[in-house]
Amino acid sequence: MLGLAGKSPALVWVVNLSALLLVVLWTIPTFGIFVSSLRDRDAISTSGWWTALSASEQSLVARAGAPDDAQQVGGAWVVAGSVFEDGTTGDVTAFGSRAQDPTSNEPGEPLVLRDDGVLEIAVNGDYTITYADQPEGRRGARIFYTTEVPPTVTTENYEAVLSSEGVAQSFLNSLTVSIPATIIPILIAAFAAYALAWMQFPGRIMLVAIIVGLLVVPLQLSLIPLLKFYGVVGEAFGVSAKGYVGIWLAHTGFGLPLAVYLLRNYMAGLPREVIESARVDGATDFGIFMRIVLPLSFPALASFAIFQFLWTWNDLLIAKVFLGQSDNQMVLTGRLVELLGSRGGDWEILTTSAFITIIVPLVVFFSMQRYLVRGLLAGSVKGG
């Protein structure tokens, strides 16, 4: 592994095993979300995703035919049908006539009902209720049964989410929020990081300490004060506080401490000889920054871009505070929360929505992940 040359074999094994553990811990839940998104609601609620390739046992209820529909067969009256008339398939493993004991009988074993009818169910779900005398009644008996349902794969969950009204617009709204909210703090932080790393001015060390301190400030503490401040400023300029400009500035403010910290550490670790040679040749600070420092700092820029984009794309809290709830402002996370319902019990929608939301961050991460470790570790040993 890069950076471990000359290290002890034990350390190499620890690093490799730790990396493998992190990969497994990240991959298994993601794979589980994907598998669950391809299952129907009943399968998700009755068994885990790791049983998706095996038959699952479900407890269901069916309504038998009305006694008035009984047909005379020989000297008896018979009501016949199938518990799978709703389109489901499977094998019946047990059945009963009461909710308190839905597995009292096995297939083929007769069960006496309250109206003196004798219920028998075959493994394939076909049932017969036999009466000695002609029965009366328009409401059939309830049949509780347990069945083994074969594994199924469905795309109905994705069709339900993607075809929901407003999802496409919310996807564009999320991009409208995330892209500028990633670019703006990078532009500001790059200039600030260069100044803190290579320019000498009074209070430079104190500014670095303040920036590090801002990393531990919970953003929840500043949401309402910021919104009130935006409201005052927006009222003065005739602009609504709840809009894209407000959320761009909010994400920029919350992301700047980490951006300046990462970029400053990286730029401070660049070869001092290169910077000094450029200054001897008459280059200005702006020219050194644009032609030397900025191109060499691309790994750090990419590292922060990954973190910032992931944060802004998955954000719901800041979007709720700084954006309205109209269709042209609601982000994708907010739209998917609405699809879950008030109680959040639609698990099939939840898993499908989760996998849809991580597709774009996955593309961003894998396209820039080669710069991630270089950007994070740069400047960790030496600094300006």
Side-chain angles (χ1 to χ4, degrees):
M1 181 177 292
L2 183 63
L4 294 179
K7 302 296 183 180
S8 64
L11 178 59
V12 175
W13 274 102
V14 169
V15 173
N16 290 338
L17 290 177
S18 300
L20 179 61
L21 179 62
L22 291 175
V23 171
V24 171
L25 291 177
W26 184 87
T27 304
I28 290 179
T30 305
F31 182 72
I33 292 175
F34 175 69
V35 173
S36 298
S37 67
L38 297 175
R39 307 177 73 196
D40 57 33
R41 181 172 187 172
D42 293 334
I44 293 176
S45 60
T46 56
S47 61
W49 62 267
W50 52 89
T51 64
L53 297 180
S54 60
S56 61
E57 190 174 83
Q58 298 182 11
S59 296
L60 304 173
V61 60
R63 178 72 67 176
D68 289 344
D69 297 333
Q71 302 293 325
Q72 188 172 14
V73 179
W77 295 83
V78 179
V79 176
S82 174
V83 295
F84 296 130
E85 290 181 351
D86 58 353
T88 59
T89 59
D91 295 333
V92 176
T93 57
F95 71 95
S97 59
R98 298 185 307 155
Q100 295 81 0
D101 191 12
T103 60
S104 60
N105 293 64
E106 296 182 355
E109 183 179 350
L111 173 63
V112 179
L113 303 178
R114 295 179 180 179
D115 59 357
D116 296 330
V118 179
L119 171 65
E120 293 186 31
I121 299 181
V123 175
N124 64 355
D126 294 337
Y127 69 85
T128 59
I129 303 179
T130 305
Y131 298 90
D133 301 320
Q134 183 176 5
E136 295 181 354
R138 293 179 296 178
R139 189 174 181 84
R142 288 195 302 173
I143 303 175
F144 299 90
Y145 64 97
T146 302
T147 179
E148 288 189 351
V149 179
T152 57
V153 176
T154 178
T155 59
E156 293 180 356
N157 300 333
Y158 286 94
E159 295 173 2
V161 173
L162 296 177
S163 62
S164 298
E165 184 178 358
V167 171
Q169 181 62 43
S170 296
F171 182 86
L172 296 178
N173 295 342
S174 291
L175 290 178
T176 305
V177 171
S178 300
I179 295 177
T182 302
I183 296 176
I184 295 174
I186 290 179
L187 293 177
I188 300 174
F191 286 99
Y194 174 80
L196 293 173
W198 292 105
M199 297 178 67
Q200 301 296 327
F201 55 90
R204 183 169 67 100
I205 303 301
M206 182 59 67
L207 282 177
V208 174
I210 293 175
I211 291 172
V212 174
L214 289 175
L215 291 174
V216 300
V217 177
L219 65 89
Q220 292 84 355
L221 294 178
S222 58
L223 286 178
I224 302 304
L226 272 179
L227 182 61
K228 291 183 177 179
F229 175 73
Y230 286 160
V232 174
V233 175
E235 185 177 354
F237 289 93
V239 179
S240 174
K242 289 200 170 185
Y244 287 116
V245 175
I247 196 171
W248 291 341
L249 295 177
H251 280 304
T252 298
F254 295 136
L256 271 179
L258 178 61
V260 174
Y261 177 74
L262 287 178
L263 295 178
R264 185 263 174 192
N265 282 356
Y266 189 93
M267 292 179 182
L270 295 177
R272 182 177 297 273
E273 294 78 9
V274 176
I275 308 298
E276 292 178 350
S277 298
R279 286 176 176 168
V280 170
D281 293 337
T284 62
D285 282 316
F286 184 76
I288 294 174
F289 172 75
M290 294 299 295
R291 298 184 179 183
I292 299 177
V293 175
L294 197 59
L296 293 176
S297 301
F298 186 78
L301 297 173
S303 298
F304 174 74
I306 292 174
F307 284 114
Q308 183 72 358
F309 185 86
L310 294 182
W311 176 37
T312 55
W313 177 266
N314 294 319
D315 171 69
L316 176 62
L317 176 60
I318 299 179
K320 286 281 189 181
V321 175
F322 290 94
L323 281 182
Q325 299 300 309
S326 59
D327 290 339
N328 62 344
Q329 288 188 336
M330 183 176 292
V331 295
L332 184 60
T333 50
R335 180 70 64 184
L336 296 179
V337 167
E338 286 192 347
L339 294 179
L340 295 179
S342 59
R343 299 183 180 180
D346 298 329
W347 292 101
E348 72 283 4
I349 301 298
L350 178 62
T351 55
T352 305
S353 302
F355 199 77
I356 289 176
T357 55
I358 68 176
I359 291 178
V360 174
L362 281 177
V363 173
V364 173
F365 175 79
F366 284 115
S367 62
M368 306 179 70
Q369 59 88 24
R370 58 178 175 169
Y371 304 106
L372 180 62
V373 176
R374 292 170 54 191
L376 292 179
L377 297 183
S380 60
V381 177
K382 60 178 180 177

